[in-house]
Amino acid sequence: MIDKSAFHSLSYGMYVIGTRSEGKDFGCVANTFAQVTSSPLQVSVALNKENATTAALRAAGRFTASCLSEDASMELIGTFGFHSSTELDKFAQHACARDAAGMPYVAEACCAWFSAKVTGELDLGTHVLFIGEVEESQKVEGAVSPMTYSFYHQVKGGKTPPKASSYLGDEQLVPASTSAGEGGEGESAAAPKVGWRCTICGHIEYVDELPDDFECPICGVGKEMFERVEL
């Protein structure tokens, strides 16, 4: 028996993995970046085989990892986590910089960044585990605490994309707690019985209808990419 809820107790960070191939920048969000040895200093990251960043990283043979801080906006996470680098120049949407090898990394809401050269890889079925030796690293002075995956879910209200290593299937639809209105009476009794779920990132809006000009606050897609769900 496998209790999937046990996996929610595992601790992760939030990182943007960056690389550059054939004159184009690629990047995606990952929560699997980690140090694996200290001598030499080596790190690893698992990426979905379907990600454009995965193929670009393999071709480049090197990558960066930007450690996101707790003040990272959902727009930044949405850019790198719910769009394809083949359709959007992600690094052009936010402040970025480059390492000595020309690989891009996020320079906003970042508390540290690393640059690594790939030394090996392991096929994991749906994902590829890349091992890299760190050639550059820097801590950003004055940055707030690193964002954990738990903080992303519980405080930011973030969702897990289907291609993520930690994706465990449909997340439970639990309406956000309602606040008291101007008259001081709670609105829970009047909470909507339907919602709208983004088919791209899984974000849910707890309203009866979405306005025509509505855009997902997580990944930025329009109303046409939402589906009606019963609560």
Side-chain angles (χ1 to χ4, degrees):
M1 171 184 159
I2 296 179
D3 179 0
K4 288 187 176 181
S5 65
F7 288 86
H8 296 158
S9 298
L10 298 179
S11 179
Y12 305 94
M14 287 288 287
Y15 309 92
V16 170
I17 305 301
T19 191
R20 183 173 178 83
S21 178
E22 298 182 351
K24 184 176 181 179
D25 294 333
F26 295 79
C28 65
V29 170
N31 66 340
T32 53
F33 178 76
Q35 179 182 346
V36 291
T37 62
S38 58
S39 183
L41 281 168
Q42 292 187 109
V43 292
S44 67
V45 65
L47 299 179
N48 193 291
K49 290 180 178 179
E50 296 182 4
N51 285 354
T53 302
T54 305
L57 194 161
R58 177 179 280 137
R62 56 178 63 244
F63 63 94
T64 64
S66 306
C67 180
L68 298 183
S69 55
E70 289 181 348
D71 58 356
S73 68
M74 292 305 288
E75 288 76 16
L76 188 155
I77 297 172
T79 295
F80 286 94
F82 297 99
H83 292 276
S84 172
S85 293
T86 59
E87 302 171 351
L88 177 68
D89 185 354
K90 300 181 181 182
F91 286 96
Q93 313 302 312
H94 301 276
C96 67
R98 297 186 184 276
D99 65 9
M103 300 292 109
Y105 63 88
V106 172
E108 66 177 77
C110 171
C111 50
W113 62 271
F114 304 82
S115 175
K117 181 178 180 180
V118 175
T119 58
E121 64 176 74
L122 178 65
D123 191 318
L124 300 177
T126 58
H127 289 64
V128 178
L129 180 70
F130 293 99
I131 307 296
E133 184 170 350
V134 176
E135 296 184 332
E136 290 183 79
S137 64
Q138 183 175 347
K139 180 180 179 180
V140 179
E141 296 299 329
V144 301
S145 300
M147 184 186 299
T148 64
Y149 209 45
S150 176
F151 184 94
Y152 166 67
H153 280 287
Q154 297 177 12
V155 179
K156 294 283 192 178
K159 307 298 180 182
T160 303
K163 291 182 181 179
S165 300
S166 56
Y167 181 71
L168 296 174
D170 291 339
E171 298 180 19
Q172 186 176 6
L173 307 183
V174 180
S177 60
T178 55
S179 59
E182 293 181 354
E185 296 180 357
E187 298 176 346
S188 58
K193 295 184 176 4
V194 298
W196 294 88
R197 178 169 54 193
C198 178
T199 58
I200 301 300
C201 71
H203 172 72
I204 299 174
E205 283 290 318
Y206 300 98
V207 296
D208 292 325
E209 294 294 338
L210 293 175
D212 291 339
D213 61 350
F214 182 81
E215 292 185 353
C216 179
I218 306 300
C219 66
V221 298
K223 173 184 177 180
E224 68 279 1
M225 298 305 296
F226 278 74
E227 61 181 1
R228 187 175 184 273
V229 293
E230 297 289 339
L231 301 176

mmCIF file of all heavy atoms in Angstrom, residues 180-220:
data_model
loop_
_atom_site.group_PDB
_atom_site.id
_atom_site.type_symbol
_atom_site.label_atom_id
_atom_site.label_comp_id
_atom_site.label_asym_id
_atom_site.label_seq_id
_atom_site.Cartn_x
_atom_site.Cartn_y
_atom_site.Cartn_z
ATOM 1 N N ALA A 180 -15.269 37.815 6.814
ATOM 2 C CA ALA A 180 -16.516 38.465 7.165
ATOM 3 C C ALA A 180 -16.754 39.663 6.275
ATOM 4 O O ALA A 180 -15.821 40.349 5.872
ATOM 5 C CB ALA A 180 -16.466 38.920 8.625
ATOM 6 N N GLY A 181 -18.012 39.925 5.967
ATOM 7 C CA GLY A 181 -18.363 41.052 5.118
ATOM 8 C C GLY A 181 -18.439 42.325 5.923
ATOM 9 O O GLY A 181 -18.100 42.370 7.104
ATOM 10 N N GLU A 182 -18.892 43.397 5.284
ATOM 11 C CA GLU A 182 -18.929 44.703 5.937
ATOM 12 C C GLU A 182 -19.838 44.693 7.158
ATOM 13 O O GLU A 182 -19.628 45.432 8.113
ATOM 14 C CB GLU A 182 -19.389 45.770 4.945
ATOM 15 C CG GLU A 182 -18.394 46.007 3.820
ATOM 16 C CD GLU A 182 -18.885 47.082 2.884
ATOM 17 O OE1 GLU A 182 -20.023 47.552 3.036
ATOM 18 O OE2 GLU A 182 -18.114 47.438 1.990
ATOM 19 N N GLY A 183 -20.860 43.846 7.129
ATOM 20 C CA GLY A 183 -21.778 43.789 8.259
ATOM 21 C C GLY A 183 -21.290 42.892 9.368
ATOM 22 O O GLY A 183 -21.977 42.738 10.375
ATOM 23 N N GLY A 184 -20.113 42.274 9.197
ATOM 24 C CA GLY A 184 -19.544 41.440 10.234
ATOM 25 C C GLY A 184 -20.034 40.008 10.191
ATOM 26 O O GLY A 184 -19.667 39.208 11.017
ATOM 27 N N GLU A 185 -20.867 39.648 9.206
ATOM 28 C CA GLU A 185 -21.385 38.293 9.124
ATOM 29 C C GLU A 185 -20.531 37.476 8.164
ATOM 30 O O GLU A 185 -20.189 37.938 7.082
ATOM 31 C CB GLU A 185 -22.834 38.312 8.632
ATOM 32 C CG GLU A 185 -23.790 39.005 9.589
ATOM 33 C CD GLU A 185 -25.212 39.009 9.068
ATOM 34 O OE1 GLU A 185 -25.427 38.526 7.940
ATOM 35 O OE2 GLU A 185 -26.085 39.485 9.784
ATOM 36 N N GLY A 186 -20.202 36.261 8.573
ATOM 37 C CA GLY A 186 -19.417 35.406 7.709
ATOM 38 C C GLY A 186 -20.169 35.066 6.442
ATOM 39 O O GLY A 186 -21.390 34.993 6.425
ATOM 40 N N GLU A 187 -19.416 34.829 5.360
ATOM 41 C CA GLU A 187 -20.029 34.562 4.066
ATOM 42 C C GLU A 187 -19.996 33.093 3.691
ATOM 43 O O GLU A 187 -20.314 32.728 2.569
ATOM 44 C CB GLU A 187 -19.300 35.368 2.980
ATOM 45 C CG GLU A 187 -19.390 36.864 3.184
ATOM 46 C CD GLU A 187 -18.586 37.628 2.152
ATOM 47 O OE1 GLU A 187 -17.780 36.998 1.473
ATOM 48 O OE2 GLU A 187 -18.785 38.836 2.032
ATOM 49 N N SER A 188 -19.614 32.227 4.637
ATOM 50 C CA SER A 188 -19.449 30.814 4.302
ATOM 51 C C SER A 188 -20.747 30.191 3.819
ATOM 52 O O SER A 188 -20.747 29.319 2.961
ATOM 53 C CB SER A 188 -18.923 30.054 5.525
ATOM 54 O OG SER A 188 -19.821 30.201 6.615
ATOM 55 N N ALA A 189 -21.882 30.654 4.355
ATOM 56 C CA ALA A 189 -23.155 30.070 3.956
ATOM 57 C C ALA A 189 -23.481 30.395 2.507
ATOM 58 O O ALA A 189 -24.217 29.679 1.850
ATOM 59 C CB ALA A 189 -24.264 30.593 4.864
ATOM 60 N N ALA A 190 -22.890 31.521 2.016
ATOM 61 C CA ALA A 190 -23.177 31.934 0.655
ATOM 62 C C ALA A 190 -22.065 31.559 -0.308
ATOM 63 O O ALA A 190 -22.010 32.056 -1.420
ATOM 64 C CB ALA A 190 -23.411 33.451 0.613
ATOM 65 N N ALA A 191 -21.133 30.708 0.144
ATOM 66 C CA ALA A 191 -20.015 30.322 -0.708
ATOM 67 C C ALA A 191 -20.521 29.634 -1.972
ATOM 68 O O ALA A 191 -21.466 28.848 -1.926
ATOM 69 C CB ALA A 191 -19.089 29.368 0.061
ATOM 70 N N PRO A 192 -19.912 29.940 -3.127
ATOM 71 C CA PRO A 192 -20.380 29.342 -4.380
ATOM 72 C C PRO A 192 -20.222 27.831 -4.378
ATOM 73 O O PRO A 192 -19.288 27.291 -3.799
ATOM 74 C CB PRO A 192 -19.476 30.012 -5.428
ATOM 75 C CG PRO A 192 -18.263 30.446 -4.665
ATOM 76 C CD PRO A 192 -18.767 30.817 -3.315
ATOM 77 N N LYS A 193 -21.135 27.139 -5.049
ATOM 78 C CA LYS A 193 -21.097 25.685 -5.114
ATOM 79 C C LYS A 193 -20.398 25.195 -6.372
ATOM 80 O O LYS A 193 -20.301 23.999 -6.614
ATOM 81 C CB LYS A 193 -22.524 25.123 -5.043
ATOM 82 C CG LYS A 193 -23.230 25.407 -3.708
ATOM 83 C CD LYS A 193 -24.578 24.754 -3.671
ATOM 84 C CE LYS A 193 -25.317 24.887 -2.352
ATOM 85 N NZ LYS A 193 -24.734 25.677 -1.318
ATOM 86 N N VAL A 194 -19.929 26.134 -7.190
ATOM 87 C CA VAL A 194 -19.161 25.779 -8.379
ATOM 88 C C VAL A 194 -17.920 26.655 -8.415
ATOM 89 O O VAL A 194 -17.827 27.670 -7.724
ATOM 90 C CB VAL A 194 -19.979 25.985 -9.674
ATOM 91 C CG1 VAL A 194 -21.200 25.088 -9.687
ATOM 92 C CG2 VAL A 194 -20.368 27.443 -9.849
ATOM 93 N N GLY A 195 -16.959 26.243 -9.195
ATOM 94 C CA GLY A 195 -15.735 27.023 -9.379
ATOM 95 C C GLY A 195 -15.223 26.810 -10.794
ATOM 96 O O GLY A 195 -15.818 26.063 -11.578
ATOM 97 N N TRP A 196 -14.126 27.463 -11.091
ATOM 98 C CA TRP A 196 -13.510 27.368 -12.412
ATOM 99 C C TRP A 196 -12.040 27.017 -12.230
ATOM 100 O O TRP A 196 -11.305 27.725 -11.545
ATOM 101 C CB TRP A 196 -13.676 28.684 -13.174
ATOM 102 C CG TRP A 196 -15.115 28.961 -13.477
ATOM 103 C CD1 TRP A 196 -16.026 29.610 -12.681
ATOM 104 C CD2 TRP A 196 -15.825 28.565 -14.646
ATOM 105 N NE1 TRP A 196 -17.252 29.648 -13.281
ATOM 106 C CE2 TRP A 196 -17.170 29.023 -14.498
ATOM 107 C CE3 TRP A 196 -15.476 27.888 -15.822
ATOM 108 C CZ2 TRP A 196 -18.139 28.807 -15.471
ATOM 109 C CZ3 TRP A 196 -16.437 27.680 -16.792
ATOM 110 C CH2 TRP A 196 -17.754 28.125 -16.619
ATOM 111 N N ARG A 197 -11.630 25.892 -12.841
ATOM 112 C CA ARG A 197 -10.261 25.412 -12.690
ATOM 113 C C ARG A 197 -9.473 25.628 -13.974
ATOM 114 O O ARG A 197 -9.926 25.304 -15.071
ATOM 115 C CB ARG A 197 -10.258 23.914 -12.343
ATOM 116 C CG ARG A 197 -8.858 23.330 -12.220
ATOM 117 C CD ARG A 197 -8.880 21.949 -11.616
ATOM 118 N NE ARG A 197 -9.761 21.038 -12.325
ATOM 119 C CZ ARG A 197 -10.138 19.856 -11.852
ATOM 120 N NH1 ARG A 197 -9.728 19.457 -10.665
ATOM 121 N NH2 ARG A 197 -10.934 19.066 -12.546
ATOM 122 N N CYS A 198 -8.269 26.200 -13.815
ATOM 123 C CA CYS A 198 -7.387 26.401 -14.959
ATOM 124 C C CYS A 198 -6.865 25.047 -15.422
ATOM 125 O O CYS A 198 -6.313 24.279 -14.636
ATOM 126 C CB CYS A 198 -6.217 27.311 -14.562
ATOM 127 S SG CYS A 198 -5.027 27.573 -15.892
ATOM 128 N N THR A 199 -7.046 24.740 -16.698
ATOM 129 C CA THR A 199 -6.601 23.450 -17.235
ATOM 130 C C THR A 199 -5.092 23.409 -17.464
ATOM 131 O O THR A 199 -4.534 22.353 -17.755
ATOM 132 C CB THR A 199 -7.321 23.147 -18.560
ATOM 133 O OG1 THR A 199 -7.064 24.209 -19.492
ATOM 134 C CG2 THR A 199 -8.823 23.021 -18.355
ATOM 135 N N ILE A 200 -4.421 24.559 -17.300
ATOM 136 C CA ILE A 200 -2.978 24.609 -17.483
ATOM 137 C C ILE A 200 -2.245 24.388 -16.161
ATOM 138 O O ILE A 200 -1.373 23.536 -16.050
ATOM 139 C CB ILE A 200 -2.540 25.954 -18.095
ATOM 140 C CG1 ILE A 200 -3.234 26.161 -19.450
ATOM 141 C CG2 ILE A 200 -1.026 26.006 -18.268
ATOM 142 C CD1 ILE A 200 -2.943 25.109 -20.480
ATOM 143 N N CYS A 201 -2.624 25.160 -15.131
ATOM 144 C CA CYS A 201 -1.886 25.089 -13.864
ATOM 145 C C CYS A 201 -2.695 24.541 -12.699
ATOM 146 O O CYS A 201 -2.146 24.264 -11.637
ATOM 147 C CB CYS A 201 -1.329 26.464 -13.497
ATOM 148 S SG CYS A 201 -2.589 27.676 -12.988
ATOM 149 N N GLY A 202 -4.025 24.407 -12.852
ATOM 150 C CA GLY A 202 -4.841 23.846 -11.783
ATOM 151 C C GLY A 202 -5.405 24.850 -10.812
ATOM 152 O O GLY A 202 -6.139 24.476 -9.890
ATOM 153 N N HIS A 203 -5.099 26.144 -10.990
ATOM 154 C CA HIS A 203 -5.639 27.174 -10.100
ATOM 155 C C HIS A 203 -7.164 27.198 -10.171
ATOM 156 O O HIS A 203 -7.741 27.023 -11.241
ATOM 157 C CB HIS A 203 -5.079 28.549 -10.477
ATOM 158 C CG HIS A 203 -5.735 29.680 -9.740
ATOM 159 N ND1 HIS A 203 -5.523 29.917 -8.403
ATOM 160 C CD2 HIS A 203 -6.622 30.629 -10.161
ATOM 161 C CE1 HIS A 203 -6.229 30.967 -8.029
ATOM 162 N NE2 HIS A 203 -6.907 31.419 -9.065
ATOM 163 N N ILE A 204 -7.819 27.421 -9.030
ATOM 164 C CA ILE A 204 -9.278 27.428 -8.976
ATOM 165 C C ILE A 204 -9.781 28.789 -8.526
ATOM 166 O O ILE A 204 -9.304 29.344 -7.525
ATOM 167 C CB ILE A 204 -9.810 26.341 -8.023
ATOM 168 C CG1 ILE A 204 -9.378 24.958 -8.506
ATOM 169 C CG2 ILE A 204 -11.334 26.418 -7.915
ATOM 170 C CD1 ILE A 204 -9.725 23.841 -7.548
ATOM 171 N N GLU A 205 -10.748 29.333 -9.263
ATOM 172 C CA GLU A 205 -11.447 30.552 -8.875
ATOM 173 C C GLU A 205 -12.814 30.134 -8.338
ATOM 174 O O GLU A 205 -13.589 29.465 -9.039
ATOM 175 C CB GLU A 205 -11.617 31.489 -10.075
ATOM 176 C CG GLU A 205 -10.361 32.242 -10.458
ATOM 177 C CD GLU A 205 -9.978 33.307 -9.438
ATOM 178 O OE1 GLU A 205 -10.881 34.018 -8.952
ATOM 179 O OE2 GLU A 205 -8.770 33.424 -9.125
ATOM 180 N N TYR A 206 -13.117 30.532 -7.108
ATOM 181 C CA TYR A 206 -14.372 30.135 -6.466
ATOM 182 C C TYR A 206 -15.454 31.178 -6.727
ATOM 183 O O TYR A 206 -15.864 31.931 -5.844
ATOM 184 C CB TYR A 206 -14.139 29.922 -4.975
ATOM 185 C CG TYR A 206 -13.120 28.833 -4.696
ATOM 186 C CD1 TYR A 206 -11.792 29.154 -4.426
ATOM 187 C CD2 TYR A 206 -13.487 27.492 -4.736
ATOM 188 C CE1 TYR A 206 -10.856 28.152 -4.192
ATOM 189 C CE2 TYR A 206 -12.560 26.491 -4.504
ATOM 190 C CZ TYR A 206 -11.255 26.827 -4.236
ATOM 191 O OH TYR A 206 -10.324 25.838 -4.006
ATOM 192 N N VAL A 207 -15.902 31.238 -7.961
ATOM 193 C CA VAL A 207 -16.962 32.161 -8.381
ATOM 194 C C VAL A 207 -17.933 31.422 -9.291
ATOM 195 O O VAL A 207 -17.603 30.372 -9.856
ATOM 196 C CB VAL A 207 -16.384 33.385 -9.127
ATOM 197 C CG1 VAL A 207 -15.509 34.223 -8.210
ATOM 198 C CG2 VAL A 207 -15.595 32.940 -10.355
ATOM 199 N N ASP A 208 -19.136 31.985 -9.435
ATOM 200 C CA ASP A 208 -20.128 31.368 -10.318
ATOM 201 C C ASP A 208 -19.771 31.544 -11.788
ATOM 202 O O ASP A 208 -19.962 30.642 -12.595
ATOM 203 C CB ASP A 208 -21.512 31.956 -10.046
ATOM 204 C CG ASP A 208 -22.054 31.560 -8.672
ATOM 205 O OD1 ASP A 208 -21.768 30.422 -8.251
ATOM 206 O OD2 ASP A 208 -22.733 32.368 -8.041
ATOM 207 N N GLU A 209 -19.253 32.737 -12.137
ATOM 208 C CA GLU A 209 -18.895 33.010 -13.517
ATOM 209 C C GLU A 209 -17.597 33.811 -13.569
ATOM 210 O O GLU A 209 -17.300 34.604 -12.671
ATOM 211 C CB GLU A 209 -20.006 33.802 -14.225
ATOM 212 C CG GLU A 209 -21.316 33.040 -14.387
ATOM 213 C CD GLU A 209 -21.206 31.845 -15.326
ATOM 214 O OE1 GLU A 209 -20.265 31.831 -16.163
ATOM 215 O OE2 GLU A 209 -22.043 30.930 -15.236
ATOM 216 N N LEU A 210 -16.832 33.630 -14.639
ATOM 217 C CA LEU A 210 -15.614 34.395 -14.845
ATOM 218 C C LEU A 210 -15.885 35.517 -15.847
ATOM 219 O O LEU A 210 -16.582 35.306 -16.836
ATOM 220 C CB LEU A 210 -14.495 33.499 -15.411
ATOM 221 C CG LEU A 210 -13.942 32.401 -14.510
ATOM 222 C CD1 LEU A 210 -12.944 31.551 -15.279
ATOM 223 C CD2 LEU A 210 -13.272 32.994 -13.282
ATOM 224 N N PRO A 211 -15.355 36.701 -15.620
ATOM 225 C CA PRO A 211 -15.512 37.780 -16.601
ATOM 226 C C PRO A 211 -14.775 37.444 -17.894
ATOM 227 O O PRO A 211 -13.812 36.665 -17.884
ATOM 228 C CB PRO A 211 -14.906 38.992 -15.891
ATOM 229 C CG PRO A 211 -13.980 38.418 -14.870
ATOM 230 C CD PRO A 211 -14.610 37.137 -14.418
ATOM 231 N N ASP A 212 -15.197 38.027 -18.991
ATOM 232 C CA ASP A 212 -14.620 37.709 -20.297
ATOM 233 C C ASP A 212 -13.132 38.036 -20.376
ATOM 234 O O ASP A 212 -12.379 37.366 -21.100
ATOM 235 C CB ASP A 212 -15.369 38.463 -21.399
ATOM 236 C CG ASP A 212 -16.791 37.935 -21.584
ATOM 237 O OD1 ASP A 212 -17.049 36.784 -21.185
ATOM 238 O OD2 ASP A 212 -17.635 38.683 -22.122
ATOM 239 N N ASP A 213 -12.696 39.050 -19.641
ATOM 240 C CA ASP A 213 -11.296 39.461 -19.708
ATOM 241 C C ASP A 213 -10.451 38.839 -18.594
ATOM 242 O O ASP A 213 -9.329 39.277 -18.337
ATOM 243 C CB ASP A 213 -11.188 40.987 -19.649
ATOM 244 C CG ASP A 213 -11.765 41.572 -18.350
ATOM 245 O OD1 ASP A 213 -12.415 40.819 -17.592
ATOM 246 O OD2 ASP A 213 -11.574 42.772 -18.116
ATOM 247 N N PHE A 214 -10.973 37.793 -17.946
ATOM 248 C CA PHE A 214 -10.260 37.185 -16.820
ATOM 249 C C PHE A 214 -8.972 36.504 -17.295
ATOM 250 O O PHE A 214 -8.931 35.864 -18.354
ATOM 251 C CB PHE A 214 -11.150 36.148 -16.135
ATOM 252 C CG PHE A 214 -10.501 35.508 -14.933
ATOM 253 C CD1 PHE A 214 -10.488 36.145 -13.710
ATOM 254 C CD2 PHE A 214 -9.898 34.264 -15.042
ATOM 255 C CE1 PHE A 214 -9.883 35.567 -12.598
ATOM 256 C CE2 PHE A 214 -9.287 33.676 -13.947
ATOM 257 C CZ PHE A 214 -9.290 34.331 -12.728
ATOM 258 N N GLU A 215 -7.906 36.644 -16.481
ATOM 259 C CA GLU A 215 -6.634 35.967 -16.717
ATOM 260 C C GLU A 215 -6.224 35.231 -15.456
ATOM 261 O O GLU A 215 -6.394 35.746 -14.343
ATOM 262 C CB GLU A 215 -5.537 36.963 -17.108
ATOM 263 C CG GLU A 215 -5.744 37.616 -18.466
ATOM 264 C CD GLU A 215 -4.583 38.502 -18.853
ATOM 265 O OE1 GLU A 215 -3.684 38.714 -17.990
ATOM 266 O OE2 GLU A 215 -4.554 38.992 -19.986
ATOM 267 N N CYS A 216 -5.709 34.044 -15.617
ATOM 268 C CA CYS A 216 -5.279 33.240 -14.470
ATOM 269 C C CYS A 216 -4.180 33.975 -13.712
ATOM 270 O O CYS A 216 -3.171 34.379 -14.309
ATOM 271 C CB CYS A 216 -4.767 31.881 -14.944
ATOM 272 S SG CYS A 216 -4.189 30.822 -13.588
ATOM 273 N N PRO A 217 -4.316 34.148 -12.398
ATOM 274 C CA PRO A 217 -3.292 34.849 -11.620
ATOM 275 C C PRO A 217 -2.013 34.050 -11.453
ATOM 276 O O PRO A 217 -0.990 34.589 -11.033
ATOM 277 C CB PRO A 217 -3.972 35.069 -10.269
ATOM 278 C CG PRO A 217 -4.971 33.963 -10.162
ATOM 279 C CD PRO A 217 -5.479 33.753 -11.569
ATOM 280 N N ILE A 218 -2.051 32.760 -11.803
ATOM 281 C CA ILE A 218 -0.866 31.918 -11.664
ATOM 282 C C ILE A 218 -0.087 31.823 -12.975
ATOM 283 O O ILE A 218 1.106 32.107 -13.027
ATOM 284 C CB ILE A 218 -1.238 30.492 -11.207
ATOM 285 C CG1 ILE A 218 -2.073 30.552 -9.918
ATOM 286 C CG2 ILE A 218 0.021 29.650 -10.997
ATOM 287 C CD1 ILE A 218 -1.384 31.212 -8.757
ATOM 288 N N CYS A 219 -0.756 31.446 -14.051
ATOM 289 C CA CYS A 219 -0.041 31.214 -15.310
ATOM 290 C C CYS A 219 -0.412 32.177 -16.422
ATOM 291 O O CYS A 219 0.200 32.161 -17.488
ATOM 292 C CB CYS A 219 -0.230 29.768 -15.781
ATOM 293 S SG CYS A 219 -1.941 29.354 -16.237
ATOM 294 N N GLY A 220 -1.418 33.018 -16.210
ATOM 295 C CA GLY A 220 -1.713 34.077 -17.153
ATOM 296 C C GLY A 220 -2.592 33.736 -18.340
ATOM 297 O O GLY A 220 -2.824 34.585 -19.201
#
